[in-house]
Amino acid sequence: MAPKIATRIGHSLMQTSTKWRFAIWLCLMLATSLWTLQLWQNGAKVQSDILAMLPHLQQDALTARALEQVESTLADQVYLALIAEDEPQAVAAATLLMEQLKTQHTAFTDIRSADLQMGEALGQFYFPYRFKLLTPEQTEALSHNGLEHLIASATQQLYNAFSYANSQLLTQDPLLLFPANLLALAPSSKLSASQGILLVHPQGVDTKQGVDNSEGVAAIVMAKGTESAFNPNAQLRQQAALTQALNAVSAQYAGIKVLQAGALFHAIEATNTAKSEISVLGLASLLGVVLLVWLAFRSVMPLLLAMVTIGSGLLLAVTFTLSVFGELHLLTLVFGTSLIGIAIDYSFHFYCERLSDNERSAQATVAYIFPTVSLAFITSALAYVGIGLAPFPGMQQVAIFCASGLLGAYLTLVLAYPLLAGSKLPSGERPLTLAEAYLARLTGFSNKLISPWGLSLFALVLAGVCLLGISKLNVDDDIRHLQQSPASVTEPEDKLRKLLSGGTDNQFLLVRAPSEEALLQRLEALSPQLDAAIKQQDLGNYVSLSRYLPSKQKQDAAYQLQGKIYQSQLTTVLSSIGLDDGLAPELSATYLAAKDSYITPTHFFELGLGKQLAPLWLAPQGLAPLGHSTEPTTSPDNANQVNDSHGAIVLLGGIEDIAALKARFAEDPQVQLIDKVADISTVMGHYRLLTLKLLGLALVIALLLFSLSFGVKRATLVVAVPALAAVFTLAILGLVGSPLSLFHALALILVFGIGIDYSLFFASAAQHGKAVMMAVFMSACSTLLAFGLLAFSQTQAIHYFGLTLSLGIGFTFVLSPLILTTSQVLTTNKVSIPTRNVI
């Protein structure tokens, strides 16, 4: 039914004025161009953020918020380490760098190193709560009647020239307990500060971690980009600002070494790689197609129309993609270079038909190939739609880009070619003769293959190779294959992370609890487990709010223990230290007045450091983000979120054994190790299997659909070509050791879509088989040019995609002519096969 409808439409094209059709095409291209220009003016952009391409994870609200908080906190941060021979030089160089960066206010903000005022601010904040604070050592002493030990420690501090002891502090904290509690807030003993600069000294660095102690003193400078590191324009500004600032440092301090880390440097490399591959691969593919067209047709008009076909396809591809997504990813453009090799197929089929019958007009040629080309377009477009079904924004963009690009090429053929391609071509006997000779050889091969012994032996050999190759296939769904930065980016980053005891990894712990107090207690219970992981070298460091926010239970315990000092032993303490006993009443009164005073998240997050740590605290939806008490909203939209549990994020750094960390918390329902990379990789594995199942379903549907046009036997031959090509491709991948991933599976969908096109043309070639052979040869060459070049991409995902398609299309090209030659052999041997055509 469908072929008859397509045939009637093809004949109706003969009756429609070529000028009217060209006018329609011209108006369509003009409208598309104007709409694309409008989209760019309204904020459409080129995107290079690799995160924008990743599949979306199905997560509960708290986990999603935690991921958003971590990504927003760590995103756009730049870390620089200036390694100098000694501390004065390191401090001076870092100071100069910060001054230079501050002049570049359009590129960076929040430029900082050590905050000397933070220590004073912390002291002012915590001092009123000093009766609610004790270090573990102080707790141990007071719990086991070790007051004498605390008195001796305080006496020693009195005579230490470098202690915090002064007369004012002694009158309010006679045992000098508070300074030790303040020092306990320091995140790492390996870090120190001098003149506002954060330093890592050689003796503070573990050589086992791969950092050479002889390198000197490292000064750490941090900054946050004013815009996303994945914005190409922001990258240029930030890179220029860094280059200018570092050049100024190098000019004044020649011996300074620089280590740098941050998403910016990965994004810059990704952008440069993508731009390079777009220009090189796209240009090479375009030149290859131009050369192919010229060698085949020896005429300027086919070459010009090939450019028009590619141009109109790319125009529609960009327009549709921007209309749907509002942006165009650089990797979409890299994948999209393959569109050049596919969109030109329609031009090849048109001109090869014209070569075979040069007396036929352009309008008649379009009408003649219209049914088959239409069916081929539909199957290719459906193949791209299959790619778009994956919950993978990047692949969805590729699907829209390529499907709409094919639509542009198809419409150009149908509407513009009847008028533009009217000129006659030079004789095409030589390429047609070569195509005919190739078909004759295949027919001879088919004659031998049809014999029982030949067919059995051939099938046995192929089955053995396929089984061997497929048995060697392994699976690798690691999302990190989507982008891999070079050593010039990763090595300095690794060294800097080791200097900072591991820095911060992408993985983190999400801790849940039904209330604020329960959450703080769970964080306190978690710290010893993480300390044990550090001792066993499973972990480098961690950042937890438990260091800064003790629970009320812990504060009450400290208060009760300090009661031994301020309620029963205060006179003894004062006399032992040599203080006036007259201080006792006031100290006791101050102690009693502090009973109901607690350190709370609400007040802590108002502090400078608290604001920096606020993203680690996840108040329930309906509460103020920083823990400020407000009435929960009761609107229907968030009625289910008011009762969300409280949550807190524990940042992890220097992870050495992620599996061991997962095992530590596997049985704890309140603690969840969030590993977005692993979760996305798991999702990719799931959709790899689903894509392969969809491929199998597509083959079955195609068999049923084509059976209506060609009969069951010939339809089986048509579908067998892409099916066998997919099997052979998997076998070769297994033999060469390439792991199977989602990108291979998506490529096989395209092998099916393009391979079906080749099969359809041969199945419908009742006459002019040599013209179809020439067209398929040129199509295969152009497609192999496009996808074969993708196989040379530096990005593994694109490499896998291109390699799989190259193999698949290569096998399809070899197998598809067998549909025609096998049919001829079977017909000669009087084997009954239906010969209905699409045309």
Side-chain angles (χ1 to χ4, degrees):
M1 186 66 182
K4 292 180 179 178
I5 294 174
T7 303
R8 284 198 293 270
I9 294 174
H11 287 308
S12 69
L13 288 173
M14 296 275 294
Q15 312 302 321
T16 307
S17 168
T18 58
K19 293 182 179 179
W20 273 109
R21 272 182 280 157
F22 179 74
I24 293 172
W25 176 83
L26 204 58
C27 290
L28 177 63
M29 293 298 111
L30 180 60
T32 303
S33 301
L34 293 175
W35 177 245
T36 305
L37 183 61
Q38 182 70 22
L39 289 172
W40 284 117
Q41 291 178 343
N42 289 341
K45 60 181 181 179
V46 175
Q47 174 67 269
S48 64
D49 185 356
I50 201 67
L51 298 177
M53 292 199 72
L54 301 182
H56 301 297
L57 300 175
Q58 298 297 322
Q59 298 157 328
D60 61 87
L62 192 63
T63 303
R65 288 175 58 208
L67 279 168
E68 183 180 355
Q69 292 278 68
V70 170
E71 289 172 3
S72 63
T73 301
L74 299 180
D76 309 325
Q77 291 282 352
V78 172
Y79 303 88
L80 302 167
L82 303 181
I83 303 175
E85 294 180 358
D86 51 38
E87 182 176 309
Q89 189 183 45
V91 170
T95 302
L96 176 60
L97 176 62
M98 293 174 67
E99 291 174 353
Q100 290 288 324
L101 289 177
K102 287 176 181 178
T103 63
Q104 305 290 333
H105 54 86
T106 60
F108 292 103
T109 185
D110 192 21
I111 301 161
R112 65 198 186 279
S113 187
D115 191 345
L116 294 181
Q117 297 179 348
M118 185 58 67
E120 182 179 348
L122 287 173
Q124 292 175 353
F125 173 78
Y126 283 107
F127 190 73
Y129 307 103
R130 61 190 178 279
F131 302 110
K132 300 293 182 69
L133 298 173
L134 287 175
T135 65
E137 294 78 15
Q138 293 167 351
T139 301
E140 178 71 16
L142 290 174
S143 299
H144 296 87
N145 299 317
L147 187 59
E148 295 80 5
H149 172 72
L150 295 178
I151 292 173
S153 176
T155 303
Q156 182 181 3
Q157 290 188 57
L158 286 173
Y159 298 101
N160 187 342
F162 300 99
S163 73
Y164 294 92
N166 58 61
S167 58
Q168 184 179 359
L169 181 60
L170 281 169
T171 59
Q172 300 178 77
D173 181 21
L175 285 179
L176 299 176
L177 301 179
F178 180 69
N181 283 278
L182 198 59
L183 287 173
L185 299 176
S188 173
S189 60
K190 294 181 179 180
L191 302 178
S192 62
S194 176
Q195 303 178 45
I197 302 299
L198 194 64
L199 300 172
V200 181
H201 291 273
Q203 61 268 24
V205 180
D206 186 358
T207 54
K208 293 181 180 179
Q209 292 184 326
V211 181
D212 187 358
N213 285 348
S214 64
E215 288 187 346
V217 181
I220 309 299
V221 174
M222 295 158 281
K224 186 175 180 67
T226 54
E227 296 180 73
S228 171
F230 298 100
N231 181 324
N233 292 328
Q235 289 174 17
L236 293 175
R237 284 192 294 271
Q238 293 174 24
Q239 188 178 30
L242 281 174
T243 301
Q244 179 179 333
L246 290 172
N247 285 342
V249 172
S250 299
Q252 192 162 341
Y253 304 98
I256 293 290
K257 298 178 182 178
V258 180
L259 300 178
Q260 52 192 24
L264 172 66
F265 307 106
H266 294 273
I268 290 173
E269 192 62 36
T271 300
N272 292 338
T273 299
K275 287 180 177 178
S276 173
E277 291 184 354
I278 290 169
S279 57
V280 173
L281 300 183
L283 180 62
S285 180
L286 188 61
L287 291 177
V289 168
V290 168
L291 181 62
L292 195 62
V293 172
W294 177 257
L295 291 176
F297 305 118
R298 300 287 181 175
S299 175
V300 175
M301 184 52 68
L303 197 55
L304 293 177
L305 276 183
M307 296 299 100
V308 170
T309 304
I310 293 172
S312 59
L314 290 175
L315 176 61
L316 258 69
V318 171
T319 303
F320 273 74
T321 307
L322 292 178
S323 299
V324 174
F325 297 97
E327 61 184 22
L328 191 61
H329 203 285
L330 279 175
L331 287 183
T332 300
L333 291 175
V334 176
F335 278 108
T337 58
S338 61
L339 178 64
I340 296 172
I342 304 174
I344 200 65
D345 288 359
Y346 303 132
S347 184
F348 290 159
H349 284 289
F350 172 85
Y351 275 109
C352 287
E353 285 296 337
R354 291 220 56 194
L355 277 181
S356 65
D357 188 354
N358 210 1
E359 298 301 321
R360 184 189 289 156
S361 68
Q363 186 177 4
T365 303
V366 170
Y368 179 75
I369 66 173
F370 178 80
T372 307
V373 169
S374 298
L375 194 56
F377 164 69
I378 292 171
T379 53
S380 295
L382 287 176
Y384 280 113
V385 169
I387 288 180
L389 293 176
F392 207 138
M395 289 298 102
Q396 290 168 356
Q397 271 203 27
V398 170
I400 293 292
F401 187 91
C402 292
S404 53
L406 285 181
L407 176 62
Y410 173 77
L411 291 177
T412 301
L413 170 71
V414 174
L415 299 177
Y417 271 51
L419 180 65
L420 298 180
S423 59
K424 289 189 177 183
L425 295 174
S427 173
E429 285 303 317
R430 188 169 186 277
L432 288 173
T433 301
L434 291 175
E436 190 173 27
Y438 179 74
L439 282 174
R441 289 182 177 276
L442 280 180
T443 303
F445 175 76
S446 298
N447 275 319
K448 298 177 181 178
L449 191 62
I450 290 298
S451 65
W453 285 105
L455 186 62
S456 299
L457 181 61
F458 186 69
L460 186 63
V461 171
L462 286 182
V465 172
C466 290
L467 288 175
L468 177 63
I470 293 176
S471 66
K472 291 181 175 293
L473 267 179
N474 54 41
V475 173
D476 185 0
D477 298 303
D478 194 337
I479 188 59
R480 283 167 291 198
H481 293 323
L482 196 58
Q483 178 181 329
Q484 290 181 317
S485 299
S488 59
V489 174
T490 58
E491 288 181 0
E493 184 173 83
D494 290 341
K495 289 182 179 180
L496 181 52
R497 289 168 63 86
K498 289 170 183 176
L499 276 174
L500 298 175
S501 299
T504 301
D505 289 329
N506 294 322
Q507 298 87 354
F508 61 90
L509 294 178
L510 175 59
V511 185
R512 305 168 188 262
S515 67
E516 183 179 283
E517 174 63 14
L519 180 59
L520 292 173
Q521 291 182 23
R522 187 65 194 88
L523 287 172
E524 289 168 352
L526 186 64
S527 293
Q529 295 176 268
L530 294 174
D531 291 335
I534 292 175
K535 288 182 179 179
Q536 295 181 13
Q537 298 184 346
D538 294 337
L539 182 66
N541 64 83
Y542 66 94
V543 178
S544 173
L545 288 171
S546 64
R547 186 189 300 273
Y548 307 96
L549 287 173
S551 65
K552 288 186 177 181
Q553 181 186 59
K554 186 175 181 179
Q555 292 181 64
D556 284 337
Y559 184 81
Q560 294 298 326
L561 286 173
Q562 291 203 47
K564 296 181 179 181
I565 302 172
Y566 293 100
Q567 288 188 308
S568 60
Q569 302 286 336
L570 186 54
T571 304
T572 304
V573 170
L574 292 174
S575 61
S576 299
I577 297 178
L579 296 177
D580 187 358
D581 292 348
L583 295 174
E586 184 178 352
L587 284 170
S588 296
T590 305
Y591 169 79
L592 292 172
K595 181 178 181 180
D596 297 324
S597 178
Y598 293 96
I599 301 169
T600 64
T602 300
H603 296 122
F604 176 73
F605 291 136
E606 294 174 348
L607 189 68
L609 178 62
K611 291 178 182 178
Q612 295 179 23
L613 296 174
L616 303 184
W617 184 260
L618 302 171
Q621 293 279 14
L623 297 180
L626 297 184
H628 295 281
S629 298
T630 60
E631 291 297 324
T633 57
T634 55
S635 65
D637 292 339
N638 67 350
N640 295 328
Q641 298 176 339
V642 172
N643 294 323
D644 280 354
S645 61
H646 290 69
I649 295 166
V650 179
L651 299 178
L652 306 175
I655 298 174
E656 297 293 339
D657 192 341
I658 188 71
L661 280 179
K662 287 182 179 180
R664 285 178 183 274
F665 310 110
E667 304 299 326
D668 191 339
Q670 289 185 295
V671 181
Q672 180 184 0
L673 180 61
I674 305 296
D675 186 353
K676 187 176 181 180
V677 172
D679 292 342
I680 293 176
S681 298
T682 300
V683 170
M684 290 184 65
H686 168 74
Y687 281 98
R688 169 180 47 79
L689 292 173
L690 181 60
T691 301
L692 292 175
K693 292 177 181 178
L694 284 174
L695 177 59
L697 179 62
L699 290 170
V700 173
I701 293 174
L703 178 61
L704 296 176
L705 178 64
F706 297 150
S707 295
L708 300 176
S709 301
F710 304 114
V712 175
K713 290 184 178 180
R714 182 168 290 187
T716 302
L717 287 175
V718 171
V719 174
V721 168
L724 286 174
V727 172
F728 294 161
T729 299
L730 290 174
I732 296 300
L733 291 175
L735 291 174
V736 300
S738 180
L740 185 63
S741 68
L742 175 61
F743 302 103
H744 294 90
L746 293 173
L748 288 176
I749 290 283
L750 277 189
V751 170
F752 162 73
I754 298 171
I756 282 290
D757 289 0
Y758 298 170
S759 300
L760 284 173
F761 277 104
F762 277 110
S764 58
Q767 300 174 359
H768 306 306
K770 59 184 179 181
V772 173
M773 184 67 249
M774 180 181 172
V776 168
F777 170 77
M778 295 185 68
S779 298
C781 286
S782 63
T783 306
L784 286 172
L785 268 174
F787 293 119
L789 290 171
L790 288 183
F792 293 98
S793 172
Q794 297 178 34
T795 304
Q796 275 194 317
I798 300 176
H799 164 75
Y800 290 156
F801 196 82
L803 176 63
T804 305
L805 270 163
S806 298
L807 291 171
I809 296 303
F811 286 126
T812 303
F813 168 73
V814 172
L815 293 172
S816 56
L818 294 177
I819 295 174
L820 183 62
T821 57
T822 303
S823 298
Q824 293 172 352
V825 171
L826 291 176
T827 302
T828 302
N829 294 333
K830 302 191 182 298
V831 177
S832 177
I833 292 181
T835 58
R836 286 180 290 167
N837 295 321
V838 176
I839 299 175

